[in-house]
Structures are given as structure tokens and as C-alpha cells.
Amino acid sequence: MLDKTYEPQNKEKLIYKKWEENHCFKPLSDSNKSINRENFTIIMPPPNITGQLHIGHALNNTTQDFLIRFKRMKGYNTLWIPGTDHASIATEVKIIESLKKEGLSKEKLGRDEFLKRAWEWNDKFGGRIKLQLKTLGCSCDWDRCAFTMDEKRQKSVLHVFKTLYDEGYIYRGEKLINWCPTCRTALSDAEVEHVDENSSLWYIRYPYADKSGYLVVATTRPETMFGDVCVAVNPNDKRYKDKIGKELILPIINKKIPIISDDYVEKDFGTGVVKITPAHDFNDFEVGKRHGFEPIKIMNLDGTMNDYCGKYANLDRYVCRKQLVEELKSLDLIEKIEPYNLPKATCYRCHNAVEPMMSKQWFMKMQDMANLGLEAIDKNELEIVPNRVQKIYRNWLVNIKDWCISRQLWWGHRIPAYYCKNCGNTMVEIHNPSVCDKCGSKDITQDPDVLDTWFSSALWPFSTLGYPDKTDDLKTFFPTSILVTAQDIIFFWVARMVMLSKKIMGKTPFSKVLINGIVRDDEGKKMSKSSNNGVDPIEIIEKYGADSLRLSLLFGNGTGNDFRFSEEKILEDRKFINKVFNSGKFLELVLSQTTEVKLDTTKLNIFDKWIYSKLFETIEEINKLIDNLDVCQAVNKMYSFVWDEFCNYYLEFSKPYVYSDDQNTRANACAILKDIYLNILKLLHPIIPFITEDIFSNFTNEMLINQSYASSIGYFKKETEDIEKIISLIQKIRETRLSYNVIPSKRITLVVNKNNASKDSLNIIDESRLVLSKMTNIEKVDVVENIDSENVKFVCELGEFYFYKNEVVDTEKEREKINKDIDKMNSEIKILESRILNPNFVARAPQQLVEKEKARYEYLLNSKKSLEEKLKNLK
RNA sequence: GGGAGAUUAGCGCAGUUGGUAGAGUACCUGCCUUACAAGCAGAGGGUCAUAGGUUCGAGUCCUAUAUCUCCCACCA
């Protein structure tokens, strides 16, 4: 028995448990049931263990679950692998914050203790994330759940690192890199965010060595002047042509530096003179290299100035800047200071300014990799939906630089590089070597650094399946089918997965990428941890149920478009779930009043054939839409089929039959109704899995999740067209009744003009008499040969119809109504005339369309004429 | 500075090869009709941001402009 109303809170947990206990999330191949089944695999973008999931994750995972459930019911051998990401820097930042509250620091704690804390953190938040995913209904295979830092994934990382090192793709070197003085680690280019900052442009006088005056240099970073190796001008700048080669005195530290020329310098910016500080600026580094200058480091790793800066040593760079500018002013070496906006490079985790610094780090050579990434797109191995994202992906790969993969952090994959203290030999090994393979010394230390967190995520499509071991999973499920993810990690993650999968596995890791839109709050702001406007899905689910949330996320939002989340929308959409439930209650009711029989599809009436046709159409369209990853439209189709066609029409059509006095008619009508309804549950299961499963269990002894997807017995063209006509007749009757103010409870007569309706039409009307009576409160249908034109007339595809004047009269109303109709017709006639009377249209538009428009035109003219006549006769 | 997207009914949105603008919600009218008032039936409401262009025909294609959003970026 279905409950009076559906209470998701009491049901969902139990249903999920039932699915898990029955191993419903397992691929068929686990139990050798997948003979000849196509595989369908999704790897879940592993959420960071830094916190908990918000609605954005819910959208992402609902989309994946929708696809997985759909494909599972379609008979695919489906696998959805869940997992979490250790999020090296992000988690470390969080742990350090929490240590601070205890008065601790990571240094005080020591590496081993710190890592212990990190694992505890993982247990806590990783566990919470899994709970959230289960609450949402995600049908992923938890036995295959992976963590980027677990033993198997560590093994994958070691193997890939060693492979790429041996092939020369991974190298160590001292280069200018992005350094976060707050997190005290190197960052990759992708981890640097640029924010606009109001700053200044300082014009500093650099005196000539020959005391012939000074040259004015414009800079945004006065404090880096200690590291200047030269000053550059554009070779074509007439102002400075004769100055090239002369020497300047670098103020404060009084060092001679030359004036050089380089095309990099823009004549029109500032004074056209640039100070060159190779150790602390990426452009300057290149210029310095071109002209053979050694970079001079002037900063410590914590962002303070180093000993090279004399009295400014150990001052924070910004404090130094302030004091230095004061000193320069006092020396009359500041020409002027202009306000200036510049993009400031900041750390994507702590949001503090990052510094370009010279540092010895590990890098991955990216040029070949990028070509692999581009090849995936060029050779159509990879399709990104929506298509525009492809450009973003391509653009990043075209401008790629080597990837700095080492981080001066503790929480992460420790780099498997070992250094011999005796001979300086470097070894990269999967297993900790006990002696140096060159000199035999036992004095060996492992590199203290860890890998960029995105290194392990880049291996996700094959590390989750068991690489480097040649597992069955890897054989069966790689490459995977679709990746569903957010736009902001295209570079961090998607591009790197493609490159490394192609490099290591020789294949693109997935053939399609579906990019979800960004979830915003009800004010339109992006939901994120930093804005603190994230909503916990569990909070919403406890209030409205997981199905409501899922439906709200998938319904009415263009796939890939941004999505504005609001509880009001959930309230609106939840009505649909209620509707589904109530139609189930109706089925239960009528079944209770009959003895159930097996469905006999040879005994379908015109209405049954119509609904089966509609079901057929709906499924066809859904298949096509999901193939194109147009989840939004697919859900729309389901929605309107269920609500409009099934609930609003078919249920009403079926009533005369399911309540029929004839036991056989009644039993078969119920069987058909049940069949359609169970198909609807199948249709909807991927969106709203819990309630559909619950209702299904009420009518069958099987589990819905395991059923094959909805199917229809076929498409009946004639009957479908007939019912469409009946529906428009019903609408016309209702509309006419209402416009004459005929109260709904009044039973009136429908009159058909025999001379103006085809025999076929009369048959259809006859067959639909019961339904018409039920749905429009028609007492009887009179078929007549002649009828007084004073009666109320209306026309639809089936022919001319009338209501008896004495049953509906209201002359004034009718006059009003006719005038209104004529107005409507006039405007349509005008539009049609503009086409039909246009020789160009007639000549160039498709013939079929021209004919159609002409016919419609004729029809309107006739209708209008008869209405005008009627208006004249109206007394 | 470069690039991408958005602009459609009061609101938040959909609109798949160009062919007379759509659903939800809100509002209005009438209904507690035996699945559902979280409902049913019906009505109103849009120069599809603006200006041009291509076309017989443009929300849809092209070119500008405006406003908003996002991404990328080393002009010191």
C-alpha cells in the first residue's frame, strides 16, 4: 500500500541500503553477466577532502548518476568509480589553520605527526563526503572507491613518475618559478590567480656613471631594484639611441649597470626604460638570459629581503618598498609616483601575493604532452560539450609551459628521488634504494618535497582502474566513456588527464566531456567555499528529499549553462514528484477494484494506442537527446509526457474503462494502465530514483534499478492523429463553455453537423463519447443534418460543432466573443497574406509550406465569413 | 589587453539543421469533478537588449553597439 503522502525522509536511506545490499551498483561483468554488453564507465571527479560537498557537486554528481542509471537500464555494463582527492596544498593549508588554533605549527609537530593529522582529517571529511554522495542517491561502486593517496594510487604515481623520468619528461632544474611565501611552496602557472590591484608606478632616477645626469626608470616594484642587472630600452627609441651601452649607477647599493637595448621594451609605456631584474620577474628573466646576465636573488623564501639588500635585509618586501621609496625621495631620486592598476599574482589557495623566485624544482616537459592533448581534439578522439569549451582547452595547450610539479609541502606524494650525499648522484626509484647505484654509499636521502596534487589526479582515469597492474578493470573499463565536470578545472585536470592518459596508456581517457555550469546562489553569486555561500545538499535533502533536489538540478536548466539555486525552485519542481506519486495512488485504487489480469495488447482501444505511441515517441527522443548529452531537454520530455499526456489526458481517457461495468474491459484497462505507469517509473528512475523505486516495489516484487529501460509496444499513426483531434475538440469545447459562462456542473449537448464532418470524424467522436462526456461534461451528442445558425457554433479539425442556444445563451457574450475571434483571425490572415501574395515567397519557399499556408488562408477566410454572418444574425 | 558566454512573458529559464514565440511560477477567472487544492479547466501578458545586413522569411546566420558574467594575460 502506498502511504497517504510520500515522505522521502523515511524512505530514502532504506532504499539506498537495499540497492547496496543487492549489489545493484556493480558492473554486470563482476558476476559474469556482461556477455556482449557494451561498457559504460564514468570516473567521478574526486572531491577535495578539504571540506564537504555543496550544491555544485550535487549537480555534477546528479548528472553522472542520471547517465549511469540510464545506461544501466539500457543494458550496458556500467561502472561508476567514486573517489576523493587528497588536495595537497588545500588540505595542508586547512590543517595548518586548525593547528594554529591549538597554538601549534607544522614545524613544531614534525613531518610524521603532521601526516598523522592529515590522515585523521581525511577520515573525517572523506567520510562525510561519501555520506553526502550516498544521501544524494549516487549509484557508484563503493567497493572500488579510490583515494588519490591510498596505496594503489601511490603505486600508480610512482610508476608514472619513474616512467616519465626515465624517458626524460621529468627533470630537475633551477628556474624562475611562482613561489607562495605564505604557503612556502612552489606553484604551477595554473595555480596562480591574477587580481587587479590599485598600486603605483614609481619613476626612479638612475644616475649615469659619468655623472651626466640621470635616466628615469618606471617600475611597479621599486624594491626589486637591488636585483637589477641592467636597464633596457627599445632599440628604435630615438630618445635613448645614443645612451645604449652607457653605464648607470644603481642607487643605494651604488653598483654600475649597463644600458642595453631589447625589442621587449615598449617605447610608449612609462619612460620607455625598464629595469631588468631577472631573478624576480619572468620577462626580465628572459631578457637577462638573452643578454648573458646572471640573475641576482634578493629575496628569502618567506618574502623578506635577503642579505644582498644591505640594511633592508630581513624586512618584508612591502615594508622594504615603503622605506626604500622614502629613502629615494630623500635622495631626490623619485621623479614622480603615478597611480597604476596592475594584475597582482596571487596564490589560488591562500590568496596572498606570489613571487617569481629562482628555485630548484622538478618539472615536466610539456611540449610533446600538449601535442597529445591537441591531437585528441584534432582527431576527434575527444568531444567537449558545450563545444565552446574546446577553444579554451586548445588555447591553454597551445600556450603551455613546463609544469612545475614539486611542492615544498608534506601532505602529498613524496617525490621518489633519492640523492647520494657522498657523490651527489640522483636516483629515481619506485622502491627506496639502500645504496647509491654509483658509489655504493649508504648515505642516501629522499627528496623532501611532494608532488603537485594535480599530478595524481591526472592519472585518475587509469589509476582508479588499477594501473600499473594489468587488471581486468583496466582491460574492461579503460578508456572510460564520459567525464562530467566543472569548467574551472579544464586546465588543472581535464587537459592533464588527456595528455597523461595518451602518454602512459596510449589512449584518450574518455571520448566525451560534459561541462556543468556553475551553481550560483539565489543572488547570482558563484557558490564557493571562499564566499561562504555554499549550501550543504544534505540540508536540502532532509527538508525536501533527494529526488526533489535532483529534479530541481536537472529540470529547466540548459545543460552546461550556469544554474541559479533556490529553494523556491525546489518547491515548484517538487510538485512533479507529488504528481507521480498521486498517479500511482490512482493506479493502486483502480487495481484494488478489479481482479488483475495479464496485459492483452490485442485489446487496445484508440486511447491506449495513442498513449503507447506517445510513450514510443518520448523514448525515441530521450535516446537521441541523451546521446547528445542534452540532459535538460531529455528531462523536459519526460516531464511533459508524464504530466501533460499521461496525467492530464490518458488518466482521464482511461477512467470510463477502468470503472467499466464490464469486468473484462475493466481488467484489461487496468493492466494497460499499470503497464504504462510502470514504464513511466522506468522513464523517470534516472532522475528521481528513490520514489520511483519505492512505488515500483509496491506493484512488483522486483527492483526498478535493475529493470530494463522504458519501452513501448509501438507507434500507431492513425490512432495518434485521431486522438490529437479529439484533444483539440475537448479544448475547444472547454474553451467555448467557459466563454459562454456555462457552469462546469451543467451537462449540455454537443451537436455535430453531419454534412460538415467526415464519416471518419463521426466514428472517432462516437468512439470517444464516454471520454468527451467525462472530460467536458457533455450529456449527449446529437448528430444532425440541419441546424439553425443561431446556435453556438465552433469549428475544429473534426468538423463543425454546436451548442444549443437555449443551453448556453448569452447574446452579449457571444457578440463579444465573435468579435474577438474575428480580430484574431484578421491578424493571422494579415501575416499569411504577406506571404502568399508575395511572389518571392511562392517561388522560393518549399512547395509544401506554400500549400500549407494557402490552405490555412482559405480556411481562415471561410471561418471568418461564417462568423461575420453569424454576427449579423445575432439578435 | 585577448577570448568566451549571457540579454526571450512580472520572475527565474527552455527554444536541436532559419518557417506564424514555449513550459514552470506569479497574476486573473471558474471549479473541493470519487489520484492529486503541492490539484483541475481557461484567459491575459513578449517590437526575443539596440542598430544595421544576408534571406521570400531571422529569437535562430553575419557585422557593429550597450549592459552583465566568466576565463585567460609578463607591457615594466
Side-chain angles (χ1 to χ4, degrees):
Chain A
M1 242 316 252
L2 291 171
D3 299 334
K4 190 148 186 267
T5 53
Y6 182 72
E7 302 286 346
Q9 290 79 359
N10 306 331
K11 301 269 187 179
E12 292 181 350
K13 274 197 190 96
L14 292 174
I15 295 168
Y16 196 88
K17 206 171 145 214
K18 191 165 117 189
W19 288 331
E20 274 198 295
E21 283 169 357
N22 287 283
H23 312 292
C24 296
F25 306 155
K26 295 271 169 202
L28 295 166
S29 52
D30 278 13
S31 44
N32 291 319
K33 279 187 271 181
S34 69
I35 307 139
N36 295 329
R37 295 290 177 85
E38 217 177 304
N39 298 309
F40 184 82
T41 317
I42 297 182
I43 45 155
M44 178 188 293
N48 286 349
I49 55 160
T50 41
Q52 44 186 5
L53 307 185
H54 55 70
I55 299 292
H57 296 101
L59 169 64
N60 179 246
N61 286 294
T62 300
T63 308
Q64 291 173 69
D65 196 44
F66 174 85
L67 293 170
I68 281 285
R69 284 179 187 271
F70 178 77
K71 292 287 182 178
R72 185 183 291 127
M73 294 179 86
K74 282 276 175 187
Y76 286 74
N77 182 36
T78 50
L79 173 62
W80 185 18
I81 299 188
T84 48
D85 193 304
H86 68 288
S88 173
I89 184 169
T91 307
E92 188 151 328
V93 166
K94 288 265 181 183
I95 295 173
I96 290 170
E97 272 172 23
S98 78
L99 287 177
K100 234 185 213 164
K101 283 177 199 154
E102 298 174 41
L104 284 168
S105 71
K106 82 182 220 197
E107 288 75 16
K108 262 191 213 163
L109 213 57
R111 189 162 189 146
D112 289 344
E113 265 310 300
F114 182 84
L115 289 179
K116 227 171 111 187
R117 293 261 186 161
W119 282 102
E120 283 165 15
W121 181 284
N122 174 49
D123 289 343
K124 187 176 161 195
F125 286 97
R128 168 82 180 160
I129 287 167
K130 283 174 205 163
L131 175 73
Q132 286 179 306
L133 290 169
K134 289 181 179 188
T135 310
L136 189 63
C138 295
S139 60
C140 35
D141 184 355
W142 292 106
D143 293 336
R144 284 179 168 87
C145 188
F147 176 49
T148 48
M149 279 280 282
D150 63 23
E151 215 174 300
K152 286 183 182 165
R153 264 43 72 177
Q154 297 229 26
K155 192 174 167 189
S156 312
V157 167
L158 288 175
H159 272 83
V160 171
F161 190 95
K162 175 140 176 71
T163 305
L164 294 178
Y165 176 80
D166 289 346
E167 288 183 29
Y169 284 102
I170 287 182
Y171 64 95
R172 192 175 186 226
E174 179 157 38
K175 299 215 296 188
L176 197 60
I177 47 100
N178 295 295
W179 178 267
C180 176
T182 314
C183 301
R184 304 268 179 99
T185 180
L187 297 174
S188 68
D189 296 331
E191 288 169 310
V192 176
E193 282 177 357
H194 296 269
V195 290
D196 272 342
E197 190 191 46
N198 293 323
S199 179
S200 307
L201 195 55
W202 286 269
Y203 290 75
I204 305 174
R205 294 168 176 158
Y206 282 27
Y208 288 107
D210 61 9
K211 299 200 169 121
S212 59
Y214 48 78
L215 192 60
V216 179
V217 174
T219 180
T220 55
R221 308 243 11 215
E223 70 279 8
T224 63
M225 66 184 285
F226 300 112
D228 289 358
V229 294
C230 63
V231 154
V233 297
N234 188 290
N236 302 317
D237 194 333
K238 283 175 197 151
R239 290 174 294 178
Y240 305 116
K241 211 150 197 173
D242 56 328
K243 305 288 194 289
I244 296 165
K246 284 185 79 165
E247 285 193 314
L248 296 167
I249 301 291
L250 190 58
I252 313 286
I253 58 173
N254 295 317
K255 180 186 149 188
K256 279 188 184 170
I257 55 168
I259 300 170
I260 62 149
S261 68
D262 195 286
D263 287 331
Y264 153 70
V265 181
E266 295 285 331
K267 285 185 286 187
D268 303 326
F269 187 87
T271 57
V273 185
V274 187
K275 62 194 266 312
I276 302 297
T277 323
H280 295 279
D281 183 283
F282 288 100
N283 292 308
D284 292 8
F285 182 83
E286 294 302 320
V287 177
K289 205 160 94 183
R290 277 202 286 278
H291 296 271
F293 291 101
E294 271 303 309
I296 301 167
K297 293 193 223 178
I298 58 157
M299 253 182 242
N300 299 312
L301 294 178
D302 60 358
T304 59
M305 309 309 286
N306 69 13
D307 293 343
Y308 194 85
C309 308
K311 63 185 174 201
Y312 292 99
N314 299 322
L315 284 179
D316 179 81
R317 56 207 192 281
Y318 295 110
V319 178
C320 167
R321 173 188 291 178
K322 215 172 155 198
Q323 294 184 9
L324 174 66
V325 169
E326 285 311 310
E327 184 176 356
L328 289 171
K329 269 188 196 161
S330 70
L331 295 169
D332 196 27
L333 290 175
I334 296 280
E335 176 113 351
K336 61 176 173 178
I337 303 173
E338 277 177 357
Y340 186 68
N341 249 345
L342 85 162
K344 181 168 110 180
T346 61
C347 170
Y348 83 135
R349 283 304 166 202
C350 73
H351 303 291
N352 291 305
V354 305
E355 290 292 340
M357 296 259 204
M358 293 298 295
S359 177
K360 203 167 187 183
Q361 301 286 348
W362 288 92
F363 296 90
M364 192 188 290
K365 272 189 200 160
M366 294 309 285
Q367 203 48 62
D368 291 356
M369 302 279 179
N371 289 339
L372 291 175
L374 291 168
E375 185 185 74
I377 290 284
D378 293 338
K379 291 194 175 167
N380 278 329
E381 296 163 3
L382 180 69
E383 184 196 352
I384 305 182
V385 181
N387 199 264
R388 63 188 139 84
V389 179
Q390 211 147 298
K391 279 185 219 159
I392 303 175
Y393 170 95
R394 179 185 294 279
N395 188 48
W396 189 73
L397 287 177
V398 165
N399 297 306
I400 204 157
K401 285 181 195 145
D402 281 2
W403 176 14
C404 177
I405 53 173
S406 47
R407 297 288 180 275
Q408 288 61 54
L409 302 167
W410 288 349
W411 176 235
H413 297 271
R414 193 149 168 193
I415 292 174
Y418 302 86
Y419 309 115
C420 172
K421 278 195 180 165
N422 187 43
C423 70
N425 181 30
T426 298
M427 292 168 282
V428 168
E429 297 296 342
I430 285 163
H431 301 290
N432 197 335
S434 50
V435 293
C436 171
D437 60 6
K438 259 199 183 145
C439 73
S441 165
K442 288 185 177 170
D443 199 359
I444 293 165
T445 51
Q446 186 177 2
D447 195 304
D449 293 350
V450 301
L451 287 169
D452 181 0
T453 201
W454 297 102
F455 189 95
S456 56
S457 351
L459 320 180
W460 198 238
F462 48 95
S463 70
T464 49
L465 293 169
Y467 172 92
D469 298 330
K470 293 188 170 58
T471 58
D472 285 345
D473 271 6
L474 205 55
K475 224 182 291 164
T476 311
F477 297 109
F478 189 89
T480 68
S481 311
I482 298 181
L483 179 78
V484 183
T485 190
Q487 201 173 130
D488 50 353
I489 50 176
I490 297 270
F491 315 132
F492 282 123
W493 195 45
V494 180
R496 285 169 178 163
M497 276 193 287
V498 175
M499 293 186 280
L500 284 174
S501 284
K502 289 200 67 160
K503 178 70 205 159
I504 300 292
M505 302 295 295
K507 278 179 189 165
T508 308
F510 24 74
S511 46
K512 285 183 177 185
V513 178
L514 174 60
I515 301 293
N516 277 132
I518 295 166
V519 174
R520 301 168 182 285
D521 63 16
D522 47 11
E523 285 169 17
K525 269 190 259 160
K526 182 175 167 177
M527 254 187 210
S528 68
K529 268 169 239 145
S530 49
S531 335
N532 208 20
N533 57 353
V535 175
D536 183 353
I538 289 190
E539 196 184 299
I540 300 297
I541 290 169
E542 277 170 0
K543 261 168 124 171
Y544 308 104
D547 289 328
S548 300
L549 175 60
R550 293 170 61 113
L551 176 64
S552 184
L553 290 168
L554 295 185
F555 179 62
N557 300 297
T559 306
N561 288 355
D562 287 358
F563 167 64
R564 193 176 286 212
F565 176 79
S566 71
E567 286 196 44
E568 287 87 82
K569 185 168 189 308
I570 292 185
L571 285 170
E572 288 169 17
D573 295 342
R574 167 175 86 143
K575 293 180 182 177
F576 178 71
I577 292 172
N578 192 246
K579 192 76 181 169
V580 173
F581 186 75
N582 278 314
S583 46
K585 300 248 337 166
F586 174 70
L587 174 63
E588 189 178 53
L589 178 79
V590 296
L591 284 178
S592 73
Q593 297 167 359
T594 184
T595 24
E596 265 194 69
V597 297
K598 207 169 162 276
L599 170 68
D600 182 354
T601 52
T602 62
K603 287 186 190 160
L604 300 182
N605 66 33
I606 184 170
F607 305 104
D608 304 329
K609 287 182 177 171
W610 171 76
I611 196 69
Y612 273 114
S613 302
K614 285 291 163 183
L615 178 64
F616 186 89
E617 261 176 20
T618 305
I619 295 167
E620 290 283 296
E621 283 173 41
I622 287 170
N623 287 342
K624 243 183 267 162
L625 289 164
I626 294 181
D627 269 352
N628 297 332
L629 294 183
D630 197 343
V631 177
C632 167
Q633 292 299 326
V635 174
N636 277 342
K637 278 278 160 339
M638 298 176 196
Y639 188 100
S640 66
F641 172 73
V642 172
W643 199 312
D644 302 336
E645 283 159 350
F646 179 72
C647 290
N648 286 356
Y649 282 100
Y650 185 71
L651 281 189
E652 297 305 324
F653 291 158
S654 76
K655 278 178 184 171
Y657 299 90
V658 298
Y659 289 136
S660 166
D661 293 334
D662 180 89
Q663 280 307 316
N664 292 332
T665 305
R666 178 185 279 227
N668 200 48
C670 286
I672 293 164
L673 187 66
K674 183 174 169 184
D675 183 51
I676 297 283
Y677 186 72
L678 294 185
N679 269 298
I680 283 175
L681 295 178
K682 292 174 182 175
L683 204 64
L684 299 177
H685 182 258
I687 328 173
I688 46 172
F690 290 107
I691 188 170
T692 48
E693 184 72 77
D694 185 54
I695 300 174
F696 196 78
S697 70
N698 221 277
F699 293 112
T700 72
N701 294 317
E702 292 167 285
M703 270 194 286
L704 179 56
I705 189 172
N706 293 330
Q707 300 296 308
S708 51
Y709 197 64
S711 65
S712 170
I713 57 173
Y715 187 83
F716 307 91
K717 191 161 181 285
K718 167 80 168 71
E719 285 82 355
T720 304
E721 285 169 2
D722 288 349
I723 295 300
E724 303 298 335
K725 287 177 193 163
I726 286 292
I727 287 175
S728 68
L729 172 62
I730 288 169
Q731 287 168 343
K732 206 79 195 178
I733 293 172
R734 285 171 169 169
E735 190 187 314
T736 312
R737 282 186 67 124
L738 220 80
S739 68
Y740 282 92
N741 278 339
V742 182
I743 57 166
S745 56
K746 184 167 181 185
R747 293 176 69 81
I748 58 176
T749 311
L750 178 68
V751 189
V752 192
N753 186 346
K754 202 173 172 182
N755 297 327
N756 240 314
S758 68
K759 202 162 181 195
D760 192 37
S761 292
L762 293 173
N763 285 337
I764 299 165
I765 294 160
D766 190 49
E767 202 165 341
S768 314
R769 258 214 321 266
L770 284 173
V771 162
L772 283 175
S773 148
K774 171 91 184 128
M775 295 179 76
T776 57
N777 215 6
I778 293 297
E779 169 125 52
K780 61 182 197 311
V781 180
D782 286 355
V783 181
V784 298
E785 302 225 8
N786 280 309
I787 183 157
D788 194 332
S789 66
E790 275 182 22
N791 290 299
V792 173
K793 177 183 166 190
F794 55 94
V795 182
C796 70
E797 278 175 281
L798 285 171
E800 273 184 19
F801 297 86
Y802 296 87
F803 290 147
Y804 291 123
K805 192 180 164 190
N806 59 351
E807 287 182 347
V808 298
V809 267
D810 186 335
T811 318
E812 204 37 54
K813 272 268 181 223
E814 178 155 25
R815 180 171 288 130
E816 228 172 77
K817 164 114 180 77
I818 291 173
N819 275 322
K820 213 165 157 189
D821 285 351
I822 291 175
D823 282 351
K824 244 187 196 169
M825 285 176 179
N826 276 335
S827 61
E828 200 181 336
I829 285 168
K830 222 170 128 188
I831 292 170
L832 288 173
E833 267 176 356
S834 74
R835 295 187 181 176
I836 291 164
L837 303 181
N838 179 348
N840 280 327
F841 175 78
V842 178
R844 297 188 202 188
Q847 206 49 42
Q848 222 179 344
L849 185 76
V850 177
E851 291 306 323
K852 199 179 131 202
E853 303 277 61
K854 275 185 176 166
R856 174 83 186 151
Y857 183 68
E858 290 300 322
Y859 169 80
L860 284 172
L861 285 185
N862 286 333
S863 307
K864 187 181 154 192
K865 207 168 149 192
S866 75
L867 279 182
E868 280 166 344
E869 234 165 73
K870 195 166 167 197
L871 197 59
K872 229 190 282 171
N873 295 334
L874 214 59
K875 281 160 197 156

